[in-house]
Amino acid sequence: MNTVTKEASNLGQKRLLHLIETKQAIVGVLGMGYVGFPLALECVDKGYNVIGFDKNSEKVSLLAAGSSHIQDIEDDRLNSALQTKRFQVSADMSLIQKCDIIVICVPTPLDKKDKIPDLSYIDSAVDSMIAYGRQHQLLILESTTYPGTTKKKIAERMASSRRMEIGTDFFTAYSPERIDPGNSQYEVSDIPKVVGGITQTCTELASAFYSTIVTSIHPVTSPEVAETAKLLENTYRYVNIALINEMALNCRELDIDIWEVICAADTKPFGFQKFIPGPGVGGHCIPIDPFYFKWIANEKGLQTKLIDLADEINSNMPISVSDYALKLAGKDKCSILIIGAAYKKNTNDPRESSVFTIMEELMGKGCTIDYHDPFISKISLNDGSRKQSVPFTKEQINQYDVIIIHTDHDVIDYSILKDASPIIFDTRNVCREKSADNCRVVTL
């Protein structure tokens, strides 16, 4: 690099840092889902001008009209951001050229058949960056992925296609999202950000940006470290959930109350972390992330025995729940009501929810299945059929042979289950906690 080019690059870095420090930087967030939308609003709250990008025109129209699609974000907050004139939502990717900072928050699903990473959304985002990006932009990936993605799929593609040098002409970093839907205890600004840039300058610029958004930054030496840290966080949870699920199934056969066991073990002030069993593992993180690590490890000829075993246990839980529900009914072709379709309590998020497997297993055995969820009015099954949430009343619930409590939403009035005719199969131990006594309750 000659002296003139180096000086121009240094000026570009200093200008970008100045724009961050003074909140004059325009922030583009690619993907207005459960991660990108809250991040975009947090950036607006902190004083930035923000463009929220999404290729779903229906979602863009709803957001532009002030209608939030995420339960954690009320319409009033969205409308306040729109009224500031510092937030706009668009499907026009050419507006990327106006942005100084671009944060990619797109889905990274798995191929459901083979559980192979699907990075097509990231590839599409990078295509847009190549088409519309410009010099001296900071590009940050937040989507969960396997180590090496930021470097190979983003930085090297950008450098090759745009003939720009990483760390001087443009800047790239990885900072994993850590949003927990339905958890009001931790806002975006409360959660520490791990940041790993391709170069030291990339790390410094990304850290400078996030330090204006969140209270704590943890820089690491590379994107690969940051990418793997996210995978470790959720693989840790996946493996421990498998452990407690296996314990629950075995305790049931041994006629031991697993919930009492957990409460007893949780009295130990050190060396034990409480995990609870459930009907399956859902959401877009815990049942997905371990397989991003498994894939890259297996590609290198390495073994992932714990992940494989955890997958065997966790994947079998919905089937175990459906089989046990049939056993409780004591007859074939019974009628079953499932309470809660979301993958976790107090959210309207059905992604990867175990309810789908449970429904399909039971329907495949001739059962009549309904569900009630106060946050999800309708769901689509894998066979293309649709179901609508039914009322949760004394008259309604007494029509069924078995009621499965799948998701323990706080807003549900569980006292309705008192003196109910059906057997209650409580996979969440909610009846005991909500004092819905005088009913025939069987726990997981």
Side-chain angles (χ1 to χ4, degrees), residues 209-264:
F209 166 62
Y210 281 119
S211 67
T212 65
I213 304 297
V214 302
T215 57
S216 177
I217 307 294
H218 184 85
V220 294
T221 55
S222 69
E224 290 80 6
V225 171
E227 289 162 338
T228 308
K230 176 59 188 294
L231 299 183
L232 174 59
E233 291 171 15
N234 284 333
T235 300
Y236 169 82
R237 295 175 68 187
Y238 193 69
V239 169
N240 279 280
I241 290 169
L243 169 64
I244 199 64
N245 279 337
E246 184 176 63
M247 287 285 290
L249 294 177
N250 287 334
C251 281
R252 186 175 71 198
E253 296 303 313
L254 294 169
D255 198 24
I256 298 170
D257 187 338
I258 183 61
W259 301 98
E260 188 176 357
V261 170
I262 293 169
C263 288

Side-chain angles (χ1 to χ4, degrees), residues 321-322 324-326 329 333-339 358 362 367-371 399-404:
V321 167
S322 62
Y324 198 61
L326 277 176
K333 298 182 179 180
C334 58
S335 60
I336 296 177
L337 174 66
I338 299 177
I339 299 178
I358 294 170
L362 290 169
C367 297
T368 301
I369 306 298
D370 288 321
Y371 86 95
Q399 300 176 24
Y400 302 94
D401 298 303
V402 176
I403 294 175
I404 301 174

Side-chain angles (χ1 to χ4, degrees), residues 190-208:
D190 300 323
I191 306 170
K193 290 292 287 180
V194 174
V195 180
I198 296 291
T199 69
Q200 182 62 30
T201 300
C202 294
T203 302
E204 290 171 357
L205 286 170
S207 296

Side-chain angles (χ1 to χ4, degrees), residues 120-193:
S120 58
Y121 293 92
I122 290 179
D123 289 336
S124 178
V126 176
D127 288 343
S128 297
M129 283 297 306
I130 290 170
Y132 302 113
R134 57 172 171 78
Q135 195 176 32
H136 297 146
Q137 288 176 312
L138 171 61
L139 176 57
I140 304 171
L141 177 63
E142 285 206 3
S143 305
T144 303
T145 186
Y146 56 79
T149 301
T150 305
K151 182 178 180 181
K152 295 184 180 299
K153 285 277 187 178
I154 299 180
E156 291 182 359
R157 274 195 67 198
M158 288 287 294
S160 175
S161 300
R162 299 299 303 273
R163 296 183 180 179
M164 296 190 298
E165 187 172 340
I166 306 167
T168 53
D169 296 324
F170 74 101
F171 314 97
T172 308
Y174 182 78
S175 181
E177 61 87 4
R178 284 171 156 176
I179 288 176
D180 186 17
N183 188 340
S184 59
Q185 183 178 354
Y186 295 101
E187 302 292 340
V188 172
S189 60
D190 300 323
I191 306 170
K193 290 292 287 180

Side-chain angles (χ1 to χ4, degrees), residues 55-171:
K55 291 188 175 181
N56 184 325
S57 58
E58 182 179 353
K59 185 188 296 183
V60 168
S61 297
L62 284 171
L63 290 173
S67 178
S68 171
H69 60 294
I70 294 179
Q71 186 178 333
D72 291 349
I73 298 175
E74 296 182 353
D75 289 351
D76 287 348
R77 186 182 178 197
L78 169 59
N79 280 290
S80 294
L82 293 169
Q83 288 167 11
T84 66
K85 305 299 183 182
R86 288 188 287 104
F87 181 49
Q88 68 176 104
V89 189
S90 179
D92 182 3
M93 295 297 159
S94 69
L95 295 177
I96 284 174
Q97 60 191 310
K98 293 187 174 183
C99 301
D100 302 292
I101 301 165
I102 298 97
V103 187
I104 298 176
C105 303
V106 297
T108 47
L110 289 172
D111 174 271
K112 289 191 175 181
K113 181 181 179 181
D114 300 316
K115 294 190 175 181
I116 295 174
D118 175 4
L119 299 186
S120 58
Y121 293 92
I122 290 179
D123 289 336
S124 178
V126 176
D127 288 343
S128 297
M129 283 297 306
I130 290 170
Y132 302 113
R134 57 172 171 78
Q135 195 176 32
H136 297 146
Q137 288 176 312
L138 171 61
L139 176 57
I140 304 171
L141 177 63
E142 285 206 3
S143 305
T144 303
T145 186
Y146 56 79
T149 301
T150 305
K151 182 178 180 181
K152 295 184 180 299
K153 285 277 187 178
I154 299 180
E156 291 182 359
R157 274 195 67 198
M158 288 287 294
S160 175
S161 300
R162 299 299 303 273
R163 296 183 180 179
M164 296 190 298
E165 187 172 340
I166 306 167
T168 53
D169 296 324
F170 74 101
F171 314 97

Side-chain angles (χ1 to χ4, degrees), residues 322-397:
S322 62
D323 287 346
Y324 198 61
L326 277 176
K327 182 179 178 180
L328 292 173
K331 63 180 182 180
D332 296 331
K333 298 182 179 180
C334 58
S335 60
I336 296 177
L337 174 66
I338 299 177
I339 299 178
Y343 83 89
K344 67 180 296 188
K345 65 188 295 184
N346 304 332
T347 76
N348 63 346
D349 189 352
R351 291 177 301 172
E352 309 298 330
S353 174
S354 54
V355 78
F356 296 105
T357 301
I358 294 170
M359 281 186 175
E360 287 159 4
E361 285 286 317
L362 290 169
M363 290 167 64
K365 294 175 180 177
C367 297
T368 301
I369 306 298
D370 288 321
Y371 86 95
H372 168 78
D373 193 306
F375 302 125
I376 301 174
S377 61
K378 60 183 68 175
I379 57 174
S380 297
L381 302 182
N382 291 328
D383 64 2
S385 63
R386 296 171 70 86
K387 284 190 172 291
Q388 289 190 323
S389 176
V390 300
F392 186 58
T393 63
K394 180 72 73 174
E395 294 74 24
Q396 179 74 29
I397 66 175

